[in-house]
Amino acid sequence: MDSDIGGAVQNGSVASGTFEQDAAALTQTANRLLSIIRARQQVSPIPRTLITRWESVEDEAIRTSIRERKVRGRDQVQLLFFHADRLATNAAQFRDPQKLIESITQLCFACFYVARSRTYATPEVRRAALELSDKCSAGIRVPRFVRVELRASLEKTKADLADWLRFLGPGFDAVKIEGILKEAKTMGTRKDLFVLPDLPPLEATESAAELLAAAASEQQEQADRLSLRIAYDRSDSEVRIRSVELFGIRGAPGSLKIPFLLKKEPVSSLIFGENGTGKSTIVDAIEFALQGRIGRSTLYDSPLSPALRSFSRDSDNWSLVELSDGTKVRREVVTNAGGTTAAEPLTVRPGFRLAPITIQRSDLLRFLDTGALSRGTILLDYFPASSETLAIRPDEAAHRLEATLTELRIKRTAYAERLALLLGVSPADVESREGFSKSIKEKVYKEQTPYSFQQNRGWEAMDPELARTIRNLSQVHSDMRSIKKQLVAKDNLLNPALHRDQVDLVKVALKGVADEVTHAFRAICREHSVERIDILFGRSGPLSLDIRVGLSDGRSCFPQQIFSEAYRDLLALLFFTSVAKKAAEHGQVRVLILDDVLQSVDASVRQDFVNHLLSNFQDWQLIFTVHDRLWMERLRSLFSAHGHRFVEHQIRSWDAAEGPILQQPGVDVLSKDLMFMLDHGEPEGIVGRAGPLLEHLCKELCARFSLMVPYKRDGRHMLADLWSATQSSLCDTRLEAELRNLAADRALRNLAAHADPKVLELSMNEARHFGRAVLDLYTAIRCPDCRRWVNEGKECGSDRCISNIKR
């Protein structure tokens, strides 16, 4: 029979008819076990009064009565036999293998108490009961005192066939009983008896993504029934940033102040600077002042992350943010008692406690690359469980330990090499803690004990460099041992029980985020077959964050299965901005900084994302940092098209002594080189700057007014093609005078377009006339205040702003 059962399930699939075969085998085994129990009843029947009393009582109630000794003496033994009988009967009737083990357990206890009795049974019956209890106990869980007593008693006695006949009656012996019990235990521990037959595997019917679809609706219903059990302070909700000032922070060794004001009112900002010029330094200074952290972390002095202090300034490092309510928030960099870098003060304004104010590229990568089971930890610095503090991710402490251990390993290698040279041994001999101790004992203490070596002034007589190296390496070994112990226990930091309150808050706070992400994704990616995006927190694990994508054909999948990298980036951006919006509903300041997060995103996707952001975050103060000039120009146009007020800051360069060097206010990047050459340059320099600017202006006008340009197979249009379309199409507009002025300089346009050597023969007057004519056209089609180009719609209110070129 065992071979039949063993072949029932193979490789996770079920053969036809296996279910019925297993069920029949289980029934047969239960009946054979029942024959042992009922054989005992034939010798000593269970009283009818006991059966009547307990037959309608639940199994758990019977177990409790026996465990708490509510039934004593002979009745307790009879109740155990009665319960064993009922459990075996149920195993056969309901095809439940677990009931077999429970029945054997109760039979074991019944026989054990019979063997213990001095008045209930004869010595021969007690011997047989003792052996049966021992055979029942093998392979099942029984209390230790039962096993100890059984072992001790069996060493003193052994039952013979006559004893079995007195206990169970004719037809039973030890060998037969042992076979029945072994068969019942094997069947009772089977986990694969009831796999449904003749059905396809789970993967072919319902995928994990499809199962999450039902779970998403359940989570939504749960969120509808709950509300945030904490009242966050909303007093700062209307605050905006007026300016940031920093000194000695990161890449700014000197003083730097950035205003975010337009007509004395705080507005959004575009900060342009090439890579390495200090854009992130400005962002970090804002985050440090307002939230006391850098990149969502308080790990300020790790060798694996940017230093908070400027390397050019060891003291007096601070950041200050002026807010629209007239207050100023100043935070300093200090060294605490433990010798590590810290922030002071530690308090955070109410409006900046609910969520990070900065989104960086690393946040997107963490969101996309972290497994679903631990992805939810990225939300544990949102919505703190206490309204008085700022939430910190639990993995922050682990990162700090790992960074410290990395630094210690570097020190260990350096000190070990230095000590090896001084002692004349191999670095490998002192790099480990055990090798270090052995080398010191052999090479330094020699025949002395550590105590006698010290008493004999051995340390004082030693070469100072050797003594210092030994002390340093000893300290490193000690610190590494301590850190490693903490790292072993770091998993407890992610213990869900420690974060239960905050997890519940996040679940409620995420209500509606999936709807917003879905709506935005479908609006941006119209060609995609996405019907629904569900976001589930704490579903597949206590700290999990699962994302399920529902397609228009009814199928479900995960983002990695269907989205390109660009769309996954977009999904991460939509998620973080939607959660930030939810935080603002509960009192978070409506300020969001996007630190160069869009540069690696597909061009069409990032443009649509910015349109979404400007449409749905109209009353927010948005701060973008950008390192690409073309993208900067595109952002400027998008902000202007949405009527979103902003100021620009251009970082011209970075200096080791001064840090980021800003472009002077009012300087237009597109025209500044030409203006400089008009004042200080030679004719060839003026024409060399005027030509590219004129070509750029013609491209803008052709694109904005859909002008007809001669077809080019490679798409590269010459200035002559662009100028011809511009001049002929717009000559009857308000630009007539500027275009006519440039039309007179045809020869100069050709020289500028082709860098002809004849440009060296130009007079200063000719060059300046051409340069000023280009600047006049530029001024006529772009407002110097709001930076809007013509044909962009709403004017800014300035007398110089021209939203169209009609007469």
Side-chain angles (χ1 to χ4, degrees):
M1 185 182 67
D2 288 345
S3 60
D4 293 338
I5 297 172
V9 178
Q10 300 176 359
N11 300 325
S13 63
V14 183
S16 176
T18 299
F19 179 80
E20 294 300 331
Q21 293 173 5
D22 284 349
L26 175 61
T27 300
Q28 183 180 355
T29 302
N31 287 331
R32 296 182 70 185
L33 176 62
L34 200 57
S35 67
I36 299 176
I37 301 169
R38 290 186 176 173
R40 167 61 191 167
Q41 294 177 23
Q42 292 175 4
V43 174
S44 177
I46 299 174
R48 185 61 197 172
T49 54
L50 185 143
I51 295 174
T52 303
R53 178 184 174 188
W54 294 98
E55 64 182 350
S56 60
V57 178
E58 297 288 339
D59 288 337
E60 187 57 39
I62 295 177
R63 294 189 194 95
T64 302
S65 297
I66 295 171
R67 185 172 57 250
E68 297 178 357
R69 297 179 180 269
K70 293 181 179 179
V71 181
R72 297 185 178 275
R74 188 173 183 135
D75 283 349
Q76 184 182 37
V77 173
Q78 295 287 21
L79 181 58
L80 282 164
F81 280 120
F82 164 79
H83 197 209
D85 185 301
R86 189 166 82 173
L87 289 167
T89 301
N90 290 342
Q93 180 180 356
F94 300 112
R95 299 173 175 179
D96 186 347
Q98 186 60 36
K99 298 290 185 186
L100 289 175
I101 299 297
E102 295 178 10
S103 177
I104 295 171
T105 303
Q106 297 300 65
L107 179 59
C108 174
F109 276 105
C111 295
F112 176 74
Y113 287 124
V114 169
R116 263 187 167 190
S117 173
R118 292 292 181 267
T119 59
Y120 176 66
T122 64
E124 294 82 9
V125 169
R126 288 201 299 271
R127 281 196 297 268
L130 185 67
E131 283 213 16
L132 180 54
S133 181
D134 180 60
K135 296 182 187 304
C136 288
S137 69
I140 63 173
R141 297 182 63 180
V142 295
R144 185 173 182 274
F145 80 90
V146 173
R147 293 193 185 279
V148 172
E149 190 168 332
L150 286 173
R151 290 289 98 198
S153 301
L154 284 169
E155 289 176 0
K156 301 176 183 177
T157 182
K158 184 174 181 62
D160 57 24
L161 183 58
D163 296 335
W164 286 111
L165 294 176
R166 291 187 185 95
F167 187 59
L168 296 179
F172 283 96
D173 58 28
V175 176
K176 182 176 181 180
I177 289 172
E178 189 170 356
I180 294 173
L181 291 174
K182 181 179 179 182
E183 180 184 318
K185 290 172 186 175
T186 301
M187 184 68 71
T189 56
R190 287 279 300 277
K191 303 296 185 184
D192 53 0
L193 282 173
F194 296 103
V195 179
L196 294 178
D198 303 325
L199 289 177
L202 179 64
E203 294 82 348
T205 55
E206 290 182 297
S207 68
E210 288 171 332
L211 293 172
L212 283 178
S217 60
E218 293 175 10
Q219 182 164 299
Q220 183 67 33
E221 293 174 2
Q222 180 186 15
D224 290 339
R225 293 192 301 268
L226 300 175
S227 60
L228 284 181
R229 300 188 306 274
I230 185 170
Y232 293 117
D233 190 333
R234 298 171 181 265
S235 59
D236 281 343
S237 59
E238 299 302 321
V239 167
R240 301 291 184 272
I241 300 174
R242 291 178 59 85
S243 66
V244 59
E245 186 176 0
L246 55 146
F247 188 81
I249 297 292
R250 288 202 54 194
S255 177
L256 179 67
K257 184 172 183 178
I258 310 288
F260 302 110
L261 300 174
L262 182 61
K263 297 183 178 180
K264 300 183 179 180
E265 294 294 328
V267 294
S268 295
S269 179
L270 303 180
I271 302 175
F272 172 80
E274 296 179 359
N275 287 328
T277 56
K279 300 185 301 299
S280 292
T281 292
I282 298 170
V283 169
D284 291 343
I286 298 173
E287 187 182 13
F288 178 68
L290 296 176
Q291 296 189 307
R293 54 192 184 186
I294 298 290
R296 301 172 67 178
S297 171
T298 56
L299 194 60
Y300 303 130
D301 47 9
S302 165
L304 306 179
S305 58
L308 176 56
R309 278 195 174 104
S310 168
F311 278 103
S312 300
R313 186 171 297 278
D314 297 329
S315 61
D316 194 24
N317 314 85
W318 51 267
S319 176
L320 181 147
V321 170
E322 182 182 1
L323 299 173
S324 57
D325 61 357
T327 60
K328 295 181 179 180
V329 181
R330 189 177 193 271
R331 204 174 305 273
E332 297 183 10
V333 185
V334 298
T335 302
N336 61 23
T340 60
T341 304
E344 190 177 278
L346 296 176
T347 56
V348 176
R349 287 274 294 258
F352 299 96
R353 294 175 187 162
L354 274 67
I357 59 173
T358 302
I359 301 176
Q360 297 179 320
R361 179 64 185 165
S362 58
D363 295 320
L364 305 190
L365 295 176
R366 185 181 293 123
F367 179 84
L368 296 169
D369 297 340
T370 304
L373 279 177
S374 57
R375 187 186 291 142
T377 59
I378 65 176
L379 287 174
L380 292 185
D381 54 357
Y382 288 80
F383 304 104
S386 169
S387 61
E388 303 299 321
T389 59
L390 188 72
I392 298 177
R393 293 197 312 275
D395 56 353
E396 178 71 14
H399 289 322
R400 182 180 292 275
L401 292 173
E402 289 167 353
T404 304
L405 187 61
T406 298
E407 187 173 6
L408 288 172
R409 285 195 178 106
I410 296 171
K411 291 181 178 180
R412 180 186 63 182
T413 300
Y415 293 149
E417 290 176 350
R418 191 179 306 169
L419 181 61
L421 184 64
L422 293 171
L423 293 180
V425 298
S426 168
D429 293 338
V430 293
E431 196 165 77
S432 69
R433 190 167 178 269
E434 294 76 14
F436 171 74
S437 299
K438 182 180 179 181
S439 296
I440 296 300
K441 184 178 180 179
E442 294 176 353
K443 298 288 186 178
V444 177
Y445 296 151
K446 297 181 179 178
E447 301 299 326
Q448 303 180 67
T449 66
Y451 178 75
S452 61
F453 183 81
Q454 184 178 6
Q455 291 298 106
N456 294 332
R457 300 182 179 277
W459 294 115
E460 297 177 15
M462 186 183 296
D463 176 63
E465 183 181 358
L466 176 58
R468 190 181 308 110
T469 305
I470 292 174
R471 184 186 61 187
N472 289 343
L473 186 54
S474 176
Q475 185 63 51
V476 166
H477 280 308
S478 177
D479 291 345
M480 288 184 68
R481 186 182 186 188
S482 174
I483 294 293
K484 287 178 179 178
K485 286 182 178 179
Q486 296 178 62
L487 282 171
V488 170
K490 75 175 183 177
D491 289 342
N492 191 51
L493 297 171
L494 297 178
N495 185 347
L498 300 177
H499 313 287
R500 185 178 293 113
D501 291 342
Q502 192 178 1
V503 167
D504 291 343
L505 287 172
V506 173
K507 283 183 179 180
V508 178
L510 286 180
K511 176 183 174 182
V513 167
D515 294 334
E516 186 165 336
V517 170
T518 298
H519 176 76
F521 191 92
R522 293 187 62 189
I524 294 173
C525 309
R526 299 178 183 87
E527 74 286 356
H528 226 294
S529 59
V530 172
E531 184 70 24
R532 171 76 184 174
I533 297 175
D534 289 316
I535 299 170
L536 298 95
F537 186 60
R539 183 66 188 184
S540 60
L543 296 176
S544 65
L545 185 68
D546 295 290
I547 302 175
R548 169 259 176 191
V549 180
L551 305 179
S552 56
D553 61 3
R555 292 182 297 167
S556 297
C557 61
F558 294 106
Q560 297 86 342
Q561 295 176 299
I562 192 170
F563 290 156
S564 65
E565 184 178 357
Y567 286 136
R568 294 201 300 272
D569 285 342
L570 173 63
L571 179 60
L573 283 167
L574 293 175
F575 173 78
F576 281 114
T577 53
S578 297
V579 175
K581 199 171 185 180
K582 286 296 176 183
E585 294 176 5
H586 297 284
Q588 173 86 0
V589 168
R590 292 193 294 277
V591 173
L592 190 61
I593 304 172
L594 292 95
D595 186 17
D596 221 355
V597 296
L598 297 173
Q599 199 60 45
S600 61
V601 180
D602 183 79
S604 60
V605 171
R606 70 187 180 196
Q607 178 171 313
D608 288 336
F609 168 74
V610 173
N611 277 320
H612 158 76
L613 197 67
L614 293 172
S615 298
N616 293 274
F617 290 69
Q618 296 174 351
D619 57 344
W620 284 60
Q621 185 177 26
L622 305 173
I623 299 176
F624 279 75
T625 64
V626 188
H627 73 263
D628 181 84
R629 290 186 184 275
L630 291 177
W631 177 232
M632 175 68 174
E633 182 65 27
R634 191 66 196 137
L635 272 179
R636 184 187 292 124
S637 298
L638 292 171
F639 269 69
S640 298
H642 283 270
H644 195 104
R645 302 174 69 220
F646 68 100
V647 293
E648 293 182 33
H649 293 287
Q650 305 276 345
I651 303 177
R652 182 160 55 88
S653 61
W654 182 85
D655 182 81
E658 299 181 31
I661 299 175
L662 298 180
Q663 193 68 261
Q664 293 300 314
V667 175
D668 191 307
V669 175
L670 291 178
S671 61
K672 67 181 179 66
D673 292 338
L674 176 56
M675 295 175 68
F676 178 84
M677 295 305 297
L678 284 170
D679 292 335
H680 306 286
E682 297 298 319
E684 63 271 21
I686 296 173
V687 174
R689 298 299 188 278
L693 178 57
L694 177 59
E695 184 174 352
H696 180 75
L697 299 182
C698 289
K699 286 181 179 178
E700 284 288 339
L701 290 169
C702 288
R704 293 180 182 281
F705 294 97
S706 302
L707 305 184
M708 296 181 64
V709 181
Y711 172 75
K712 297 284 186 179
R713 188 181 300 275
D714 58 3
R716 298 180 180 180
H717 296 96
M718 305 300 291
L719 175 57
D721 302 322
L722 298 169
W723 169 255
S724 176
T726 301
Q727 197 268 337
S728 60
S729 301
L730 302 179
C731 61
D732 293 329
T733 66
R734 292 171 58 178
L735 302 179
E736 180 185 6
E738 288 79 8
L739 294 174
R740 186 172 59 250
N741 197 14
L742 277 166
D745 286 328
R746 177 179 180 182
L748 281 174
R749 288 202 313 276
N750 291 333
L751 292 177
H754 301 290
D756 196 296
K758 294 181 180 179
V759 74
L760 298 175
E761 302 174 7
L762 287 177
S763 68
M764 182 64 73
N765 287 336
E766 290 174 319
R768 283 180 175 173
H769 181 274
F770 177 60
R772 290 193 180 109
V774 173
L775 280 179
D776 288 343
L777 177 61
Y778 179 66
T779 304
I781 63 175
R782 194 175 193 198
C783 174
D785 294 325
C786 69
R787 308 290 182 178
R788 284 192 182 91
W789 295 88
V790 293
N791 205 32
E792 284 194 355
K794 185 178 179 181
E795 298 181 4
C796 69
S798 168
D799 293 337
R800 298 180 293 179
C801 188
I802 302 173
S803 62
N804 61 72
I805 56 173
K806 295 180 181 179
R807 292 186 179 276

